[in-house]
Amino acid sequence: MDPTTLIPTPDAIPVHWGWFHILLLVTFTLHILLMNIMLGTVFIAAANHFTRDGAGSPPTKAVAEKLPFTIAFAVNFGVAPLLFVQVLYGHLIYTSSILMGTFWLSIIGILIAAYYLAYIYKYKYLQLEKGRALLTGAICIMLLFIAFLFSNNLTLMLHPESWPRYFDSPGGLLLNLADPTIWPRYLHFILSAIAVGGMSIALFFTYKKHTGDPEAAPWIKYGCKWFAYATFINFGIGAWFLGSLPRGLVSMHTAAGVFFVIFLICGIIAAVFAALLALKERVMPALYSLLTAIVLMILARDMLRTLYLQPWFSRSELTVQASYSPLLVFLLFFIGGMALIGWMLKITFQNTDNQEVQS
């Protein structure tokens, strides 16, 4: 069967695709930061509880307090990039979502369960004792499974040649397991989340140190070590991922191939600097290098998606039926919403500091 006959005709878009592309990159960057903080910190908390026989520690207590908020922020900030992916690649991702529909719909229930357990972890932290390890382990497994399903969907949409398998298994249980890149891609995401989780802990206790907490210093080192070691391990996973890419996919004869290589090399250099700075406990310079690496890796990822889709689809093929008012309304609400969230976070931190001073 010719896979091109299975690719639906893309819908028309209201403005030039470049607007949606920029918004996709911006909103995805915000989402991936929050997603990594959420998954990375709960993974570190679970590891801490399992190695300490369920005993608590300042980092795990901080994770317990913040976990429901990080899940809420990560999920809500994931809506916009998912919508922009659907605008630009809707005919592809809708199809892949249907092919794995049973798994895809299960994400809702799994996420609700993880969110509920996060609140139990927060409000029953002191009473749980040894149960903390099991609880955080369960939350971690749920979030890891959701991440695995997302990796499957976002790679399955890139492989229309695998879609005819649906006719042999039409139950919505089709995963992209035949793709040799799926496991290194998934593990690369997980290690990145653990690294960002470690940096989040280091940054949190750096803030606590500046507000006068005398016990913050060892936990800054703790977070920095998690970040640095996870990053170094991830270089190996990244090499595995690059080696699993189809031969000839990245060509220096195409603009996307050239930009992919440039963004990748610069991203690796920034990540190396971030890890080395973290080992020296220079948290803020390491953070800036980390943010640079994340942005560059997101750009490299975007170029790689373009290379995968070259035989099947190009964004320039999208039909434009001009209507600028929805874009203007979105931009106004987006800017206003970000300002409101910033104000809310500022008030929250001020109230937290006041409560700690009173206690």
Side-chain angles (χ1 to χ4, degrees), residues 46-93:
N48 189 292
H49 288 315
F50 274 104
T51 55
R52 292 163 57 91
D53 196 24
S57 64
T60 59
K61 187 176 181 180
V63 171
E65 287 291 328
K66 305 295 189 295
L67 185 58
F69 295 103
T70 55
I71 292 177
F73 272 102
V75 171
N76 281 280
F77 271 83
V79 173
L82 184 58
L83 290 176
F84 289 128
V85 165
Q86 292 170 356
V87 170
L88 293 173
Y89 310 102
H91 59 305
L92 300 171
I93 196 167

Side-chain angles (χ1 to χ4, degrees), residues 249 254-257 305-314 317:
L249 175 68
T254 64
R305 176 162 50 197
T306 300
L307 292 168
Y308 263 109
L309 291 177
Q310 276 183 344
W312 315 103
F313 169 70
S314 171
E317 299 172 10

Side-chain angles (χ1 to χ4, degrees), residues 26-141:
V26 171
T27 56
F28 180 73
T29 300
L30 295 172
H31 168 64
I32 205 67
L33 282 170
L34 291 164
M35 182 68 74
N36 285 349
I37 292 170
M38 174 194 71
L39 180 56
T41 53
V42 75
F43 182 94
I44 292 172
N48 189 292
H49 288 315
F50 274 104
T51 55
R52 292 163 57 91
D53 196 24
S57 64
T60 59
K61 187 176 181 180
V63 171
E65 287 291 328
K66 305 295 189 295
L67 185 58
F69 295 103
T70 55
I71 292 177
F73 272 102
V75 171
N76 281 280
F77 271 83
V79 173
L82 184 58
L83 290 176
F84 289 128
V85 165
Q86 292 170 356
V87 170
L88 293 173
Y89 310 102
H91 59 305
L92 300 171
I93 196 167
Y94 281 140
T95 304
S96 60
S97 298
I98 292 171
L99 298 180
M100 57 173 291
T102 301
F103 288 115
W104 191 242
L105 291 175
S106 72
I107 289 175
I108 300 172
I110 297 170
L111 184 58
I112 291 172
Y115 194 37
Y116 186 82
L117 292 180
Y119 271 102
I120 295 176
Y121 182 48
K122 175 180 179 178
Y123 289 111
K124 299 294 183 181
Y125 180 85
L126 296 177
Q127 297 95 314
L128 283 168
E129 296 183 354
K130 293 184 178 180
R132 296 172 189 144
L134 294 177
L135 188 61
T136 52
I139 296 171
C140 197
I141 290 172

Side-chain angles (χ1 to χ4, degrees), residues 289-308:
S289 295
L290 169 62
L291 294 175
T292 302
I294 289 174
V295 170
L296 290 167
M297 289 301 183
I298 287 173
L299 292 173
R301 175 182 178 273
D302 184 70
M303 291 297 104
L304 192 62
R305 176 162 50 197
T306 300
L307 292 168
Y308 263 109

